[in-house]
Amino acid sequence: MAAQKLYAGAKLREVRTKLELTQKDFATQLGVSLPYLNQMENNNRPVSTTVVLALASEFGMDVTELSAGDGERLVSDMREALADPVFQGKMPPLPDIRLTASNAPGLARAFLDLHQSYRQTHERLASLDEALGREDARAAPSPWEEVRDFFHYCDNYIDAVDRAAEHFAGREGGYRNMRVAAVAALGNADIKVSFEDTDVLRHFDPAQKTLHLSTRAAPESQTFQLLLQVALTNQNKLLDATLDLARFTTQAARDIAKIGLANYFAGAALMPYSRFLEAAEASRHDLEQLSSQFGASIEQVAHRLSTLQRPGAKGVPFFFVRVDQAGTITKRHSATRLQFARFGGACPLWNVHRAFETPGRFLRQLAETPDGVRYISLARDISKPAGRFGAPVRRFAIALGCEMRHADQLVYADGMDINRDSAFEPIGISCRICERKACHQRAVPPLERHLVVDPNHRDTLPYRIE
């Protein structure tokens, strides 16, 4: 495949603004002419190799940030929004969408917010007739979606919280037994820990200053919940400061995000950044080995791998997703060019859906998206044990993957025929924006293509895509 040209005008302007340099001074330090810099900042020209090297040598910049996934996320999200039938199939050309995401990211996000508001209003009117005219019928951003997008556009890496968790884990060798360290930290705050035979995973009684945990939960879940309480108790000021910067529109979104940040702290303390990155690279990202080494679940390890995006010390850029049996995405993040559908389910050709059929086993898949990028994907069923007879079982599957250029760093790529084109299965993001013409699993036609319907001919699909 031909090398992809790098257009990063918005990022160049951001760097120059932070350095408080004029275009002329910035161009001089980069070793390019003023007109050439102006063209790059306006995405009329790709960023040259000379500029990339100068950014690294002159300013110590992590140049991988130039191709960070933010632009691709915006492009993917805009294409999905524009695939909404409300636009009547009037999909702008992909180059125009890319130009908008790169040159006017603020406008792109405003468009996504507007579309999201439209969807929420439409859904409310369709399902709640009685809501018309009521004070609480006003359309408001979904708190869950607002929090999801916060982590999505932070690259799923929160530096201040991550470093605080790493400091906690390393203090007095606490990483050797995080369960003991967490109980000790809570004890220092006069909080008692009580393990009880109950379905409730965690309950904190502030009046009695007692944390109640379920004995039915797996040991790694218990440790995680202990660390989550440490975050809420000992790191409350840090969490609130982070939330202040996020500027959520509703109190509900802020409350949900606070739990998300506490969860983030717990995972980062259980698997401290530097030690975990080193162990991940040494084991070639063997999830079972990392799970045993850090006392974490397979899901916790996979999710943590997707957060290793610290500037100057980045790990392999992974995508991570969790789905339920209906194919609904319940967790998603991607540091790769592959972006997931914001609404609805994932591509049915993806191996994550087959993981439910093989509980306890890892499924490997070589996949290729319509843009020609190839990935290796790992999927596994991670159903939650009920803890007692008759209790409902929560069933989920996760997928973790990266682009093929990182395959040599994954133990799961060993023995796979990565040099055979036919070994790569075609997958997409959403049927409405998928460009494949002959997909046997297509649910709805793509909005970017003209359809030909012939009543005298029936193939895999009841129409032909031109």
Side-chain angles (χ1 to χ4, degrees), residues 251-458:
Q251 185 61 43
R254 184 185 175 98
D255 293 341
I256 294 169
K258 189 166 189 175
I259 296 173
L261 290 176
N263 275 284
Y264 187 102
F265 179 94
L270 192 61
M271 295 162 279
Y273 196 100
S274 299
R275 289 187 58 249
F276 186 75
L277 176 60
E278 181 181 354
E281 292 174 344
S283 68
R284 296 180 62 217
H285 302 87
D286 187 319
L287 270 67
E288 290 175 297
Q289 186 174 332
L290 292 169
S291 173
S292 175
Q293 182 175 347
F294 288 89
S297 69
I298 293 294
E299 179 183 358
Q300 289 167 355
V301 169
H303 188 272
R304 182 56 169 154
L305 286 172
S306 75
T307 70
L308 300 181
Q309 295 299 299
R310 179 178 290 179
K314 292 188 176 184
V316 170
F318 283 105
F319 61 72
F320 169 79
V321 68
R322 188 181 73 179
V323 302
D324 63 16
Q325 287 183 285
T328 305
I329 296 174
T330 60
K331 285 184 181 180
R332 68 182 178 98
H333 172 66
S334 178
T336 71
R337 282 176 280 182
L338 174 66
Q339 300 300 321
F340 305 112
R342 289 166 59 84
F343 317 112
C347 174
L349 298 179
W350 202 7
N351 67 339
V352 69
H353 303 292
R354 298 197 295 271
F356 291 107
E357 303 169 8
T358 57
R361 289 178 50 197
F362 285 104
L363 297 182
R364 302 182 297 172
Q365 180 184 38
L366 300 177
E368 182 176 343
T369 47
D371 57 5
V373 181
R374 292 180 170 180
Y375 301 87
I376 177 170
S377 176
L378 184 71
R380 176 168 166 155
D381 168 90
I382 53 149
S383 296
K384 311 289 185 180
R388 63 177 175 84
F389 179 76
V393 178
R394 300 180 65 205
R395 302 207 64 191
F396 296 102
I398 60 169
L400 181 78
C402 65
E403 295 183 20
M404 285 304 301
R405 58 195 175 97
H406 302 291
D408 62 324
Q409 300 180 59
L410 268 66
V411 67
Y412 302 101
D414 292 353
M416 300 192 79
D417 191 1
I418 63 176
N419 296 315
R420 181 168 54 90
D421 290 344
S422 59
F424 290 83
E425 297 183 61
I427 65 170
I429 298 175
S430 168
C431 285
R432 287 193 178 276
I433 60 175
C434 184
E435 301 171 0
R436 301 191 190 281
K437 295 182 179 181
C439 177
H440 62 284
Q441 284 288 154
R442 180 174 287 283
V444 294
L447 293 185
E448 296 181 75
R449 301 287 184 176
H450 178 68
L451 302 184
V452 176
V453 181
D454 184 351
N456 298 316
H457 180 76
R458 177 62 158 88

Side-chain angles (χ1 to χ4, degrees), residues 55-101:
L55 287 170
S57 60
E58 295 293 328
F59 303 105
M61 179 180 176
D62 181 358
V63 295
T64 60
E65 295 180 15
L66 289 174
S67 57
D70 202 41
E72 289 299 324
R73 291 188 189 97
L74 281 174
V75 170
S76 176
D77 291 350
M78 288 179 68
R79 291 189 70 203
E80 189 176 359
L82 288 164
D84 192 309
V86 71
F87 294 108
Q88 301 179 352
K90 299 174 182 177
M91 177 75 77
L94 183 56
D96 288 358
I97 298 176
R98 290 190 183 279
L99 193 63
T100 302

Side-chain angles (χ1 to χ4, degrees), residues 223-279:
T223 303
F224 192 90
Q225 293 302 320
L226 285 166
L227 290 167
L228 186 149
Q229 190 63 50
V230 169
L232 293 174
T233 303
N234 295 1
Q235 301 292 335
N236 188 58
K237 290 183 178 179
L238 172 62
L239 301 186
D240 281 340
T242 305
L243 294 169
D244 289 341
L245 292 173
R247 297 181 180 178
F248 289 105
T249 59
T250 65
Q251 185 61 43
R254 184 185 175 98
D255 293 341
I256 294 169
K258 189 166 189 175
I259 296 173
L261 290 176
N263 275 284
Y264 187 102
F265 179 94
L270 192 61
M271 295 162 279
Y273 196 100
S274 299
R275 289 187 58 249
F276 186 75
L277 176 60
E278 181 181 354

Side-chain angles (χ1 to χ4, degrees), residues 81 84 86-87 110-120 343:
D84 192 309
V86 71
F87 294 108
F111 166 75
L112 291 173
D113 289 342
L114 182 63
H115 177 255
Q116 180 172 283
S117 178
Y118 157 76
R119 282 186 62 255
Q120 290 161 347
F343 317 112

